[in-house]
Structure formats: C-alpha cells, structure tokens
Amino acid sequence: MAAIDAPATALLSVSNIEVAYGRSAPALRGVSLRLREGEVVSLLGANGAGKTTLIRSISGLLKLHSAKVLSGQVNLDGARIDGVAAHHIARKGLSQVPEGRMIFANLTVAEHLQIGALSAPVEKHEMSRRLVLDLFPALRPRIDDQAGWLSGGEQQMVAIGRALMASPRLMLLDEVSLGLAPIITRSIFEQLDRYRRETGCAMLVVEQNAKLALDFCDRAYVLDRGRILLEGSAADLKADPRVQDLYLGEAPGEGSAYTFRDAKRYRRRTRWLK
Amino acid sequence: MQLRQHLDTDYQRQLRLFGSPGAVVVAIVAFALLMALPFLIGRGTLAGIGLAAINNALIAIIGAVALNLLVGFTGLLSMGHAAFFAVGAMAAAIFGTQLELPFPLVLLASGLCGAGIGVIVGLPSLRLSGLYLLLSTLALHFLTLYAFLQYQLYNFGLSGVFYPTAMIGPIEIGTDHRWYFVLVACVVATILIARNVLQSREGRAFVALRDHPTAAAALGVNVAVLRIKAFALSSFLVSVAGALFAFNLGVVTTDAFTLHFVVAYFAMIIIGGMGSLLGSVLGAVVWEFLPQWLASAASNIDPATPVIGDTLARHQAQIISVVMGCIIILVLIRWPAGLAGVVRSTVAAIRSWPYRS
Amino acid sequence: MIFFLQLLVSGLAVGSVYGLVALGFVLIFKATDVFNFAQGDLLAVGAYLMFVALAVFNLPVALAIIATVVAAGILGAMLQRVVFKPLQGQPLLTVVMATIALSLIIQGALVIIFGSQDLSFPRTLPSSIVAIGALRLSMLDLIIMGCSVVCVSAFALFFRYTSLGLQMRATAEHPEAAALSGINSDRVFTVAFSIGTVTAALGGIFLGSLQVVSPTLSQIGLLAFPAVVVGGLTSIPGSVIGGLLIGVLQQLSAGYFDGAVASVVVYSGLLLVLLLRPQGLLGRPSVQRH
C-alpha cells in the first residue's frame, strides 16, 4: 500500500494542505494528492471526512464558504491555484460537476450547455454539443425544457453535460450517484468512461458508493477525518480488508486473517487520528 | 480557578430571571440608577440628552422590541411599523380623546385594537413571504396613513389629532418627569413579556419559523396560526407604543408616520442586533441619542467656518441622515450581528481569556 | 372624452418613466438578487446630474444626456463595488436595509449639495405641441414613450439572446454554479448595477424635463415598486407594462379625484396583485422542484 510517486509532470498536485472553515478546527490536515493526465482517481470516505472540502480547495470555492487554505499548495499544471477565484480556475481547463447538481432551474438544457461552453474556444462548441447529446440521448427531447422540471437523473446528465462542454482536461465529479437509482447511476458512469476513453480527460471522482468508484477508477485515496488514510491502485484497495470491511461492506471471508478483533483495534487506532 | 457557570443545565435554570447572585446585584444597582436618573438630570441635559429625548428613546425601545419580535425572531419582513403606530394613535384618540376613558384602559384598548388589526393583516399575508410580504406591508403603510388622514380631517381638522393629558387615577402625567416613570414601567413590562414569550413553546416556534418553516411544519408547528400570533403580539405592543407616543406628544399628524419612521426602526434593530432583546434596547437608544450627540458636537463648530459650518447650520437633519445611513451600511458590512453581537463576543472573549489558544 | 385621452397620454408618458426605473430595478434584481430600494433615488440623481451638465458645464442637450448616462454608469459600478460586493450572500433583510440606508444617504446628500428648492433645466428636450384633432400632445411625451420602447426592447433582447445576458441570468440563479462554469460574477454584477443606474438616470432626465428637479423626485420614483410588482418582479417587458399601467392609473385618479386618492388606488392595486397573482402579470412563478 505504498504511496505512488507521481513524476513532476502531474496535472494536479495537492501538497500537504491544511484547510479550515472560519476559525474552527481544520477540516483537512496534511492532505496530499496527485493526478496525472488522463488518470481517473477516486476519493472515498464517510460523511464529514473532508471530501467536499478537498474538492472545494481545488476548484476555488473555499472563499465562498468562508474557508481558507492555511498552509500547503494546490497546483494545476504547475501553476498555483489555491486562493485563485473559481471562474479563473474553470477557464484553465478544470470543470466540476458539483454535489447536488447545482443546476439553473429556470434555464433550459440548451442554455446550460451554452454556459458550460463559455470556457471553451468557439470552434469546439458544436462538436462538444453533439458529443454530449450522443452520450446522453435522453436530453435530446428535453433540450428546450427548463431544467427545474427534469427528473433527478436527467438533471445529473445536464450537470455533467454542462461540465463536458468546456472540453476540460480535468473533471471533478462530486457525488454523482447522489439520489439516483442504481441503474441510472451505472449508465451515467458507463458514459463517463466512454467520454474518458474518447478524450483522455482526467477525472477526480468523489463517491460514497465505494464499489462503483473502485470499479471505475485507476487509483484511489481514502479520506478519514481530514487525513489521507490509504492510497493505492483500485485493485489494491479493493483487496484491502480494511476497505472491504469499512467501505465495501463485505465481511472478511473464511480463512481471512482479519478478525472482528482486528476491526475493533483498527477503529480504536483511527479514533486518535488527529 | 472555577470557570463560572454560564451555561444552563436545565430548563428551570434558563427560565430564571436572575442567573446568579451577581445578576441580582446588577439589577438592583441598575434599578436604583434608573429611578434616580430624572432627579439627576432635572431640567438640564446629560451629555446633550434631555429627559424628553430619554422618554422618546423609551417609547422607541418598546417599538423596537415589537419589531424585533416580528422581523428578527420570526422572520416576517413587515414594513407596516409606522402604520401600526398610527393605528395605536388612532385608537388612543378614539378611546382617550373622544370616549374619554381612563388612560390605562386606553392603552389596553389601543393594544387590543392593534392586535385585532394585526390578525386581519396577518391573514392574507399567509400566502406571501419574504419580498412579497415586504411589498404588501408597504402598500398597507400608505393605505393606513390615508385612513388616518381621513380620520384626522373628519374629527379634528388640519392641525392634527389632539390628546388630553394622561391621567392615572388622580395623578396627572403632565411633566417629562412623570412620563419617565410611566414609560420605564411600560418598557420593563414589555421586555418581561417578550422574554417570557420567547422562552415559551410559542417563542421557540417563532424562531423555528424564521430559520426553516418547512422543518418547523414537519415538527408539528402550525405555521399559519403561529404567524398570526406573531403579528398579533407585535401589533399589540406597537399599538401601545403608538398610544404612548400620541399622548406624550399631545398632537399627532400623518407627518409623524412617514416611511422614514419605518426605516428608523429597521435601522434600530439592525444596528442593535436582530433576534436579540438587548439589541432592541441598544439600537433604540443609539438611534435616538446619536443624532443629539452629533447635533451638540456640531453646535460646537462655529457657523462662520467656511463650508462645513454653513452646511451644518442649514442642513443639520440631512447631515444626520447621511451619517446614520453610512453607519447602517458600516454595521451591516462589518458587524452583521449588531451591537448586541459585539457585546456578546466581547463578554465571551473576556470570559474565555485564559483558555484561548 | 378629450379629457380622458389627455390624461391617458400623460399617463403613458409618466408611466414610461416609471417603466424605465422599474426596468433598471428588475435588471438589478434578476442579475444580483438585490432588491434596490434606492432605485427611485437614483432617478433623482440622474435628474440632478443632468442639471449639473446643463447649468454648470453648459453642455448642449444631447451631450448633456450622454455625459449624465456615463456618469450614472460609473456611479452604479462604484456602488456595487463599495456597498453590495461586501454584502454578497447576506440575507434579504440585510441587503434591503443597505439599499434603504443608501436611499437615506442619497436623499440627504442631494439636499446638502443642491438645497431643497425646485430647479429646472435651462434647456430641455424638444417640447413643442403636436395637435391631433382636438388632442394636444406634447412632443416630449412622445419622445419619452418612444425612448422607453427602444430601451425595453434592447434590454429584453440583451437578456435573452446575448452571452452576457445569459451569464447574468445564471449568476442570479446560482452564483456558485455560475462561478464553476467560468462566469466572473463580479463583472456580471457590476454591469448589472451600471445598467440599472443608467436606466434610472434616463428616467430622471425625462421626469426632470416633464416636471421640476427637486428632492421629491425620490418619492415619485417610489412608485416604480408597484409597477415592478404588477408587471412581475422577474419580467423585463412586465416591468414596463406595469409602469405604464401604474402611470395611467395614477394620472386618471389624480385627474378625476385628487393626488392622495391616486396614491391609494395605486397601492390598493399593488395589494390586489400580490394577493391574487404574486408573480405579476408577466412574471413566471419560480420553478421549485423540491
């Protein structure tokens, strides 16, 4: 479970950041993360672990939520982005599908795509639009409907489509499966996979649904109470008994060396992870 | 060193009027000062503030507490404040001047009238909230003033509505001195009523209504009834304040109840602190006294000084407006919790001094 | 009958002014979610700025209008930077109070600088009388109405079809999501405030030409609120239609009864609309799925 050393040409690198909201205790402590071009990385963790805070640190929304990076750096393509306004970061090739979708209820689907395309060069607009409607054909008949009237799954597609229109190099996906039926979630992830294979876009996926995330990504980090608990390739983490027990909900099989007492001990140890 | 207990451990403790022996001492000293104040000031002024201004501030406190109950604690944005003051004044004229009922009864009757009208206003408002409520109460403001004007012209004439001298039993409330004691009693009663309501089940439901009406409804709060109750309580208090205001002033016209009046009370609760009784008191005092202080400071500047002196002499009211406007914006940006918030954080900082990192 | 038509025309002219002010108001509200109580005072500022351009700088009328508009735009941008940017994200009452405080400041400042007496423009827009049958129409009224139509159409098209207009609508609805999509919300807000102030200033120029320039212009500007509500808080064409309706209603009531009754009629109308159809004539009820 050794940390993977990424070469200096990482697309995104988060170095040892400490983030706090207002004057409270830090929500993230000494968190480091690396992402290369075209990689898919997952962020796993329970509620309150700090996943959304980490995403906000990358996309530049901390200030809006009265939070700050107290120490450490966040770099996109070598350039420092912590403390930079969100719309500047978006124009550098970073797109986000935020938690809860955050769609514009009174704007039509077409207008969402138009907005998403703001950060992309004009030549690419038509192509991106066709690609999005290809990936999510369910949106075609609803293209002129106000987004507020769409179903949850369709809204998620709109949110993703909006992010895709920018032809991003890195996409942040925050809890895409939230509130969606499993079959729709599966279909959405399949389309994301297809997009990634066609365009080579890197993705940082925050998911509560660990199984889905680990099936989808190349590497993953596990966040717990503001710190990185584990990191490794998807295969390694899937086989890790701790991950299996705590996040995948699979009981250790027959003959597994990981007993109930081990789990209790682990939990007791991680309680002092401060 | 024992960290003094300032967290209530049960409901009984929270209900107590005096949290600790220290609080009782403070209350006694404050009471003594309050009683002595009029004798100390006499006919003169204390830092530019005369007894008349203090009386105005006392009435303002009642109005501010009532507004805070409606806006700060229950979240109902209403611009009808001046209108309800006018209702109180009108009721006071009907019961006091025309029907010549005894003063305490006039106060009660005015309050009940106000409460009744508050209920009537509250009913259609059930369909509106936020911005729309604000606008509808604005409309109400103009309509009520028109009604008051008609009442005034019909019954009294152009010079205004007249009020007799207030009488409590055989005692004539004719001087600022006597008004002071009556008003202090009213203010204390108002604050006690407000405090008790806020700590009751209803009062907590008010706050729930402000913070999250849907969740409140899910918890069994009857939103409609509660809104009406909030309007009724607030209007009762405001109308009583209106009656006191009218009797104190002696003559009232619609000029007293402008939009500026509404703005002034909103400024009071914002500067003082919304959702806080202490805030209502502080805000009312500051709003009433600051212009006096500014005026007395301004009068020290010789009117002969080139630009400033002349401007100060001719447009004093406007300068005060501008200054107060700037203060409001400053407070909104810098101290959104108002003076009460500043007081609270200062006290908390002092209390936790040895423990801060 | 003639009397009625005259009142109607003057009502439409005055209503156009309300419509312009209401337009600026709706623009600011749609783009920044700020309920600008000081919109009527910005009308007064526009009138006084025009006065300064004409009487102090002695500019010809056309140039004076341009100068006033530019100055108003800059003022709007400054107001946004200094007052509203720090208050972003605060609850409704806070923002409303800030605009009310602004109103206090502007009203006080205008009296301090200009005094409270009535002033009039030394040179005005063409105000010759045009006769149509027995009707006597003022060229001024017609110019005002024409200008308002042009302005409204321009803004409606702007909001619906341009990129900046789309950005404004998105930012108004969800500032966070807009920022994530690369929209510079700060720039959007500044533009919105500038345009809103400019339309109010235009209204002030027109009203100052129709009447006199005095501090009471702020009170008249207050009537833009019923206009906005009747038309629909979120509808641009609605704001102008609302303005026209309110203007006509006001003039008719003032003509047949008196000024005080006119006020009552207008505000009763406002109440009725709020109770029966809060989104106004042309507004869309807001979409809320949850």
Side-chain angles (χ1 to χ4, degrees):
Chain A
M1 243 64 56
I4 295 179
D5 266 311
T9 54
L11 174 62
L12 174 76
S13 93
V14 177
S15 316
N16 215 13
I17 59 170
E18 182 166 307
V19 174
Y21 287 89
R23 282 191 239 141
S24 319
L28 289 180
R29 250 183 274 248
V31 167
S32 296
L33 184 140
R34 273 184 189 42
L35 195 95
R36 282 172 298 193
E37 290 268 8
E39 245 196 323
V40 176
V41 169
S42 259
L43 265 185
L44 305 175
N47 288 331
K51 308 192 292 292
T52 300
T53 309
L54 183 51
I55 293 285
R56 283 183 187 152
S57 317
I58 299 172
S59 64
L61 285 181
L62 283 182
K63 187 152 179 233
L64 202 75
H65 295 269
S66 316
K68 250 192 0 193
V69 175
L70 297 173
S71 68
Q73 283 190 15
V74 180
N75 288 304
L76 184 69
D77 235 356
R80 204 159 160 184
I81 58 170
D82 55 278
V84 174
H87 60 268
H88 281 139
I89 299 177
R91 303 236 172 196
K92 285 191 200 232
L94 188 138
S95 266
Q96 183 174 345
V97 182
E99 186 181 12
R101 287 164 307 255
M102 286 200 202
I103 53 150
F104 305 111
N106 285 310
L107 301 184
T108 65
V109 174
E111 285 172 336
H112 276 79
L113 299 183
Q114 216 182 321
I115 287 178
L118 282 173
S119 340
V122 185
E123 317 85 69
K124 290 203 176 177
H125 287 187
E126 192 46 46
M127 197 185 72
S128 302
R129 200 184 134 107
R130 250 180 282 140
L131 179 59
V132 168
L133 291 177
D134 210 20
L135 288 173
F136 301 120
L139 292 180
R140 248 190 260 264
R142 314 278 263 159
I143 193 85
D144 285 317
D145 289 345
Q146 284 177 285
W149 297 113
L150 301 180
S151 73
E154 287 163 340
Q155 288 184 351
Q156 188 64 71
M157 294 181 207
V158 170
I160 296 177
R162 177 179 63 190
L164 294 181
M165 287 298 291
S167 300
R169 295 170 62 204
L170 170 59
M171 259 180 77
L172 305 174
L173 294 125
D174 199 347
E175 305 276 6
V176 162
S177 68
L178 199 64
L180 298 182
I183 191 170
I184 299 191
T185 313
R186 243 200 317 271
S187 141
I188 287 181
F189 269 96
E190 273 166 25
Q191 299 304 68
L192 283 171
D193 199 37
R194 184 182 142 194
Y195 179 80
R196 174 249 188 135
R197 275 182 278 119
E198 285 185 26
T199 61
C201 173
M203 295 185 188
L204 183 59
V205 181
V206 168
E207 256 309 322
Q208 286 246 22
N209 188 340
K211 181 165 194 323
L212 201 62
L214 287 175
D215 282 339
F216 182 66
C217 67
D218 302 324
R219 280 193 306 126
Y221 293 81
V222 177
L223 221 64
D224 189 45
R225 277 166 288 196
R227 286 179 199 269
I228 303 275
L229 190 61
L230 297 168
E231 54 183 288
S233 72
D236 286 340
L237 286 183
K238 261 195 269 194
D240 187 313
R242 287 171 291 176
V243 173
Q244 280 179 349
D245 184 43
L246 295 172
Y247 297 102
L248 293 174
E250 285 154 15
E254 298 277 88
S256 154
Y258 199 53
T259 64
F260 174 68
R261 217 200 263 117
D262 291 328
K264 255 181 65 179
R265 229 180 275 139
Y266 169 77
R267 279 177 210 163
R268 220 180 293 130
R269 267 189 288 131
T270 58
R271 201 181 307 145
W272 301 108
L273 238 166
K274 286 276 189 295
Chain B
M1 174 192 139
Q2 184 193 28
L3 183 66
R4 192 144 40 103
Q5 248 199 336
H6 52 95
L7 296 171
D8 302 314
T9 46
D10 62 48
Y11 194 51
Q12 294 308 317
R13 275 215 86 208
Q14 194 187 47
L15 286 179
R16 285 205 311 209
L17 195 55
F18 300 109
S20 61
V24 181
V25 172
V26 168
I28 293 178
V29 170
F31 183 76
L33 279 173
L34 275 178
M35 292 297 114
L37 193 62
F39 301 103
L40 289 171
I41 294 189
R43 253 169 241 224
T45 61
L46 185 69
I49 316 284
L51 207 51
I54 293 182
N55 286 343
N56 286 336
L58 287 171
I59 297 178
I61 291 178
I62 301 180
V65 166
L67 186 65
N68 221 340
L69 276 173
L70 193 62
V71 178
F73 285 100
T74 316
L76 294 170
L77 297 180
S78 161
M79 295 216 98
H81 211 65
F84 279 108
F85 254 89
V87 165
M90 212 167 17
I94 295 175
F95 293 116
T97 318
Q98 295 186 300
L99 294 177
E100 290 183 30
L101 294 177
F103 185 58
L105 210 59
V106 170
L107 286 182
L108 188 63
S110 305
L112 289 174
C113 264
I117 301 208
V119 169
I120 297 176
V121 166
L123 281 169
S125 87
L126 291 175
R127 299 192 55 188
L128 305 165
S129 63
L131 214 48
Y132 295 111
L133 186 62
L134 197 73
L135 289 170
S136 64
T137 48
L138 182 68
L140 211 74
H141 165 89
F142 287 106
L143 295 175
T144 312
L145 284 195
Y146 182 74
F148 187 87
L149 182 66
Q150 298 310 307
Y151 171 78
Q152 174 195 324
L153 293 175
Y154 190 73
N155 291 302
F156 293 88
L158 276 172
S159 40
V161 180
F162 286 93
Y163 296 89
T165 320
M167 309 260 297
I168 299 188
I171 309 174
E172 213 180 69
I173 319 289
T175 60
D176 282 337
H177 213 97
R178 292 187 180 173
W179 265 113
Y180 175 83
F181 288 111
V182 170
L183 290 172
V184 165
C186 290
V187 165
V188 168
T190 305
I191 294 183
L192 283 177
I193 292 175
R195 188 175 179 279
N196 282 342
V197 167
L198 287 168
Q199 284 185 329
S200 71
R201 193 164 169 277
E202 246 78 22
R204 293 168 199 278
F206 284 155
V207 179
L209 203 57
R210 172 194 73 194
D211 289 340
H212 208 306
T214 317
L219 284 172
V221 169
N222 190 334
V223 173
V225 169
L226 208 67
R227 286 181 80 162
I228 308 265
K229 279 187 188 174
F231 264 107
L233 176 65
S234 173
S235 319
F236 176 87
L237 290 170
V238 176
S239 299
V240 169
L244 287 168
F245 174 77
F247 268 91
N248 186 23
L249 211 54
V251 180
V252 165
T253 66
T254 50
D255 288 338
F257 304 123
T258 56
L259 268 187
H260 192 102
F261 187 90
V262 181
V263 168
Y265 273 91
F266 270 104
M268 284 183 216
I269 63 171
I270 288 189
I271 293 179
M274 289 200 285
S276 155
L277 283 182
L278 175 64
S280 315
V281 175
L282 289 175
V285 165
V286 165
W287 184 264
E288 289 288 333
F289 288 173
L290 201 54
Q292 311 274 36
W293 287 324
L294 286 175
S296 61
S299 62
N300 291 335
I301 301 178
D302 187 6
T305 40
V307 175
I308 302 182
D310 188 43
T311 327
L312 272 174
R314 283 196 297 156
H315 298 298
Q316 213 173 57
Q318 281 75 27
I319 293 189
I320 289 176
S321 267
V322 171
V323 170
M324 295 313 275
C326 292
I327 291 181
I328 295 175
I329 293 185
L330 197 68
V331 168
L332 286 173
I333 294 178
R334 186 74 185 75
W335 299 286
L339 285 173
V342 171
V343 166
R344 243 179 281 138
S345 21
T346 319
V347 168
I350 295 176
R351 274 192 178 139
S352 65
W353 161 66
Y355 298 91
R356 276 186 297 161
S357 57
Chain C
M1 183 58 187
I2 299 288
F3 185 53
F4 174 79
L5 285 176
Q6 296 275 169
L7 284 178
L8 190 69
V9 171
S10 72
L12 287 174
V14 168
S16 306
V17 172
Y18 295 149
L20 271 178
V21 177
L23 175 67
F25 179 89
V26 167
L27 227 120
I28 292 179
F29 184 67
K30 268 180 96 121
T32 68
D33 243 1
V34 169
F35 190 90
N36 187 13
F37 247 99
Q39 193 72 4
D41 301 284
L42 292 175
L43 174 147
V45 168
Y48 276 101
L49 281 174
M50 179 72 170
F51 178 80
V52 166
L54 288 172
V56 174
F57 292 108
N58 280 311
L59 298 173
V61 173
L63 224 60
I65 294 181
I66 296 178
T68 306
V69 162
V70 167
I74 298 177
L75 176 66
M78 270 176 26
L79 282 177
Q80 198 273 330
R81 282 296 152 107
V82 170
V83 176
F84 295 107
K85 186 164 161 189
L87 290 176
Q88 238 165 0
Q90 297 280 1
L92 176 68
L93 182 59
T94 307
V95 175
V96 167
M97 264 318 286
T99 60
I100 293 180
L102 201 61
S103 172
L104 270 179
I105 296 176
I106 294 179
Q107 284 181 21
L110 285 176
V111 174
I112 293 176
I113 301 176
F114 296 100
S116 41
Q117 69 275 26
D118 293 347
L119 302 165
S120 39
F121 293 155
R123 290 174 297 287
T124 59
L125 299 160
S127 49
S128 44
I129 305 289
V130 170
I132 300 182
L135 272 181
R136 289 221 157 348
L137 299 177
S138 161
M139 179 62 99
L140 190 57
D141 287 348
L142 295 171
I143 292 181
I144 292 177
M145 286 191 270
C147 276
S148 307
V149 169
V150 169
C151 279
V152 170
S153 320
F155 285 126
L157 291 171
F158 168 79
F159 239 47
R160 182 139 285 281
Y161 294 113
T162 64
S163 174
L164 192 55
L166 180 62
Q167 289 182 40
M168 279 192 182
R169 282 188 287 142
T171 314
E173 234 195 277
H174 207 313
E176 201 171 336
L180 287 179
S181 307
I183 297 177
N184 187 343
S185 54
D186 216 31
R187 196 167 38 168
V188 164
F189 290 164
T190 309
V191 171
F193 264 98
S194 283
I195 300 180
T197 312
V198 161
T199 55
L202 275 173
I205 295 176
F206 291 147
L207 203 59
S209 310
L210 280 175
Q211 305 176 356
V212 288
V213 177
S214 79
T216 56
L217 284 179
S218 309
Q219 289 289 6
I220 300 177
L222 208 60
L223 283 171
F225 291 128
V228 162
V229 171
V230 166
L233 269 173
T234 52
S235 162
I236 290 187
S239 63
V240 177
I241 293 181
L244 292 173
L245 275 172
I246 296 289
V248 168
L249 210 61
Q250 189 206 26
Q251 291 295 82
L252 286 176
S253 311
Y256 285 116
F257 305 107
D258 67 59
V261 174
S263 213
V264 170
V265 169
V266 167
Y267 282 106
S268 306
L270 169 62
L271 261 182
L272 266 170
V273 169
L274 279 173
L275 289 176
L276 299 176
R277 199 188 152 91
Q279 73 267 26
L281 292 172
L282 293 181
R284 277 192 296 205
S286 27
V287 179
Q288 267 179 329
R289 247 204 105 203
H290 307 288

